Amino acid sequence: MGNSKSKEITKHAKVAFTPEQLQQLEKLFAGLNGGKDLVERSFIPHFPENPDFSIKLFNWMVERSHNHQIDYTNFVILLELLLKELKDYYLSDYKFRNLEKFELFALISLECLENDKDSINRFTVSYSQGSIVIRELLNIYSGGQITNSQRNDLAARSVTNTIFDQKDEMPFNQFVSMAKAQLIYANRLCKYYFNMKFLGEQSHIEIPRLNTSSFILNDQVLALLQLSSPDFSKIKQLQLQFSSSVSDDDLDHIADIVVNTQKPLLFIFRNREDESQNDTFQQQVFGAYISIDPTLETHYIRRKLKDPMNILYSDNDPKSLYFGDEKSFLFSLLPKYQLFMSTFDQRSKQCFAYLNNKSFRVDQPLGLAFGGDGKGNHRIWLDENLKGNATCRINNQCDLTYEMGYLLEPHIEFLNLTCIEIWSVEEKELNPILQSKIIEANKEDMQQKEVEQQKQSAIEQK
């Protein structure tokens, strides 16, 4: 490092960064403002996806720097908080340094300049402030300058609606707990984001690509699903298989897709309660991700193609009209966001998704369905005549397959679908070592989600 600024720091104190990392930070610092103390606009070119957050980050650093100047030494000290774990801290001495990375991200986004944990816990987050935190979190996935922000805000607002649940404000610690319960990978994402920005570990954070435009999906919706679902991080691309404003013969097309596509499927449904709901946010959007293992034949018609003589499979098994596996989940997107994962309840008879039309088995109900109790009752039921048929309905009382909760508003029972999209999934290729690490990380995240839910239940009981 020669006579570098990094060498001057290491003369007087032990630091959490390796010599190579300090060289990277010194090079970055020199590029931000020509090696001089940083100014308000120094971070903006470095954060094209989150320019407002970059200014907040600068202000946060100024507040915590000696003499309120961000020279190289203060720059390194503050980056210990953002990039390293508590056990690695040497220079940082703030009372709140044990906060997780998402909590730090949220404090910066909220422009909260409190310096101790008690003050932070007393800090109140309003609905509009919470929405900004979620939006800036989702912007991380964009990898570039944000466009069409009004449309993108829908995803952030739907999560915020779930978190606040008609409240105007809530304490900071409750907001963080609720956000992490919905977005289980938020902490990991923030840690990765800070490392990417300051140590250049990756060029950008990927979300699944769409092979064509969608009426419903955009970058922030995809980011939302990826932040919540263990399986979504494995998706490389979504291929549109079906898009319709809903017509009478849709079930036949959907049946062909399910039978012929040996891949997981993402179903998206848009519902309009009445014709007066012209605003996008007034319409309801919900869906299902159905994981399909191509090595297992679960649906009747696939079995029939492989076993026309019924040697291996019985024609009389009603369960054979179901498809999917335990990685499947349901979700509501608008006006509130929530995932409903598999319960692994054996009583459900694994009713992840159901499909029957006239070419399959006429002795069973004809339609498309998701969830249920294995006794003919389904969480979502779409009749064979999808267009304007009153038997398309939501049932929130019968499901043993997926976690309980309202996919739409509690009073909605009958559906008036205005749009259906079905996407097939192309997964990334993972080497076995990386795949095992992801599985372990997913287990930890699910355990963390359970802990957060228990904490939230305790807060609500108080």
Side-chain angles (χ1 to χ4, degrees):
M1 290 185 286
N3 294 319
S4 68
K5 296 178 181 179
S6 297
K7 189 172 182 180
E8 290 298 314
I9 294 176
T10 56
K11 271 184 181 180
H12 305 289
K14 192 171 184 179
V15 297
F17 300 104
T18 66
E20 292 75 19
Q21 289 174 332
L22 284 173
Q23 283 184 328
Q24 285 181 271
L25 294 177
E26 188 169 343
K27 183 178 178 180
L28 172 63
F29 184 83
L32 290 173
N33 194 34
K36 301 176 183 178
D37 292 354
L38 301 186
V39 296
E40 186 178 65
R41 300 186 63 82
S42 295
F43 287 133
I44 291 179
H46 206 54
F47 288 78
E49 74 291 334
N50 262 330
D52 292 341
F53 181 83
S54 72
I55 294 174
K56 297 173 189 176
L57 175 61
F58 170 82
N59 293 332
W60 181 84
M61 285 187 162
V62 167
E63 182 65 23
R64 284 158 182 80
S65 296
H66 296 299
N67 302 322
H68 296 288
Q69 298 292 322
I70 310 178
D71 58 17
Y72 180 66
T73 300
N74 288 329
F75 183 66
V76 171
I77 291 172
L78 289 164
L79 286 186
E80 272 197 352
L81 285 172
L82 299 180
L83 304 181
K84 297 296 182 177
E85 300 302 324
L86 177 61
K87 61 183 177 61
D88 299 320
Y89 292 162
Y90 291 105
L91 303 177
S92 304
D93 59 357
Y94 299 108
K95 295 178 182 177
F96 59 87
R97 63 181 184 168
N98 61 335
L99 295 180
E100 293 182 335
K101 303 313 176 193
F102 173 64
E103 291 177 282
L104 288 170
F105 180 94
L107 287 172
I108 295 168
S109 179
L110 292 166
E111 301 181 89
C112 173
L113 302 179
E114 301 293 345
N115 283 320
D116 64 84
K117 191 67 178 283
D118 290 338
S119 299
I120 289 170
N121 286 338
R122 289 194 299 268
F123 184 79
T124 300
V125 182
S126 69
Y127 175 94
S128 59
Q129 288 175 315
S131 182
I132 291 171
V133 174
I134 302 301
R135 186 183 71 222
E136 291 181 339
L137 184 71
L138 297 179
N139 284 350
I140 291 174
Y141 284 97
S142 69
Q145 190 166 352
I146 290 296
T147 58
N148 202 357
S149 59
Q150 183 178 4
R151 184 172 182 231
N152 283 338
D153 279 350
L154 292 176
R157 287 166 60 191
S158 69
V159 179
T160 312
N161 284 345
T162 302
I163 293 172
F164 282 82
D165 193 23
Q166 299 184 333
K167 300 183 185 73
D168 294 326
E169 58 184 30
M170 62 175 56
F172 174 78
N173 61 342
Q174 185 180 1
F175 168 76
V176 168
S177 178
M178 293 286 288
K180 287 167 62 179
Q182 293 298 320
L183 310 172
I184 61 174
Y185 299 122
N187 194 56
R188 185 199 298 181
L189 175 65
C190 292
K191 180 179 178 180
Y192 188 90
Y193 186 51
F194 291 136
N195 276 275
M196 176 188 72
K197 287 298 180 182
F198 295 107
L199 292 177
E201 293 188 354
Q202 290 288 343
S203 58
H204 64 282
I205 301 170
E206 293 184 347
I207 54 174
R209 300 192 307 270
L210 302 179
N211 73 323
T212 188
S213 59
S214 166
F215 289 111
I216 299 169
L217 298 177
N218 58 38
D219 284 355
Q220 288 214 340
V221 171
L222 293 170
L224 198 54
L225 290 168
Q226 188 153 312
L227 266 172
S228 311
S229 161
D231 252 29
F232 235 75
S233 59
K234 303 174 186 176
I235 298 176
K236 178 181 179 182
Q237 180 167 286
L238 293 170
Q239 298 271 355
L240 185 64
Q241 300 292 336
F242 180 85
S243 180
S244 171
S245 57
V246 183
S247 60
D248 290 332
D249 58 350
D250 283 346
L251 189 63
D252 292 332
H253 296 306
I254 294 172
D256 289 339
I257 293 167
V258 171
V259 169
N260 297 319
T261 305
Q262 301 283 316
K263 296 178 180 180
L265 295 170
L266 179 66
F267 295 80
I268 308 283
F269 304 99
R270 186 167 63 196
N271 185 66
R272 180 180 293 176
E273 192 175 354
D274 59 64
E275 296 304 318
S276 66
Q277 293 179 315
N278 294 319
D279 182 79
T280 304
F281 202 74
Q282 288 181 312
Q283 298 184 47
Q284 300 108 18
V285 177
F286 62 99
Y289 174 81
I290 303 301
S291 176
I292 297 175
D293 186 341
T295 64
L296 300 175
E297 298 303 329
T298 56
H299 194 272
Y300 166 80
I301 194 64
R302 288 186 185 162
R303 293 177 173 183
K304 198 73 174 173
L305 291 172
K306 290 195 172 184
D307 183 28
M309 301 300 293
N310 296 329
I311 296 173
L312 299 176
Y313 306 114
S314 169
D315 249 359
N316 298 318
D317 178 12
K319 184 180 173 183
S320 66
L321 293 171
Y322 291 93
F323 61 102
D325 61 35
E326 290 86 352
K327 297 177 183 177
S328 305
F329 60 86
L330 304 180
F331 60 91
S332 57
L333 181 58
L334 292 176
K336 291 183 178 181
Y337 178 73
Q338 191 170 354
L339 256 64
F340 305 93
M341 308 300 291
S342 169
T343 62
F344 298 92
D345 190 329
Q346 293 300 316
R347 295 174 300 164
S348 73
K349 297 183 171 54
Q350 299 184 320
C351 307
F352 303 107
Y354 170 98
L355 178 65
N356 190 28
N357 73 357
K358 293 175 183 177
S359 64
F360 294 174
R361 293 181 55 179
V362 295
D363 61 325
Q364 297 293 327
L366 306 181
L368 174 68
F370 303 92
D373 58 6
K375 300 176 182 179
N377 301 308
H378 302 280
R379 179 77 158 272
I380 304 170
W381 173 258
L382 306 179
D383 191 85
E384 60 171 327
N385 299 314
L386 297 178
K387 186 176 176 63
N389 195 298
T391 58
C392 297
R393 61 194 302 169
I394 292 278
N395 186 336
N396 290 293
Q397 307 301 320
C398 68
D399 203 352
L400 295 176
T401 303
Y402 298 107
E403 294 172 324
M404 292 301 294
Y406 291 105
L407 278 161
L408 300 178
E409 293 298 324
H411 68 276
I412 296 175
E413 180 179 0
F414 297 106
L415 299 173
N416 178 31
L417 298 180
T418 60
C419 181
I420 300 174
E421 290 184 357
I422 303 176
W423 300 79
S424 63
V425 168
E426 180 182 340
E427 295 187 343
K428 301 172 185 175
E429 294 183 4
L430 298 177
N431 63 62
I433 296 175
L434 180 59
Q435 193 165 14
S436 64
K437 288 182 178 180
I438 289 175
I439 291 171
E440 289 303 315
N442 287 342
K443 288 180 180 177
E444 291 178 5
D445 286 321
M446 294 305 292
Q447 290 171 354
Q448 180 65 27
K449 182 180 179 182
E450 291 178 3
V451 171
E452 293 297 333
Q453 288 174 338
Q454 291 172 0
K455 287 182 179 178
Q456 184 55 37
S457 297
I459 291 172
E460 290 175 353
Q461 288 174 1
K462 290 181 181 179

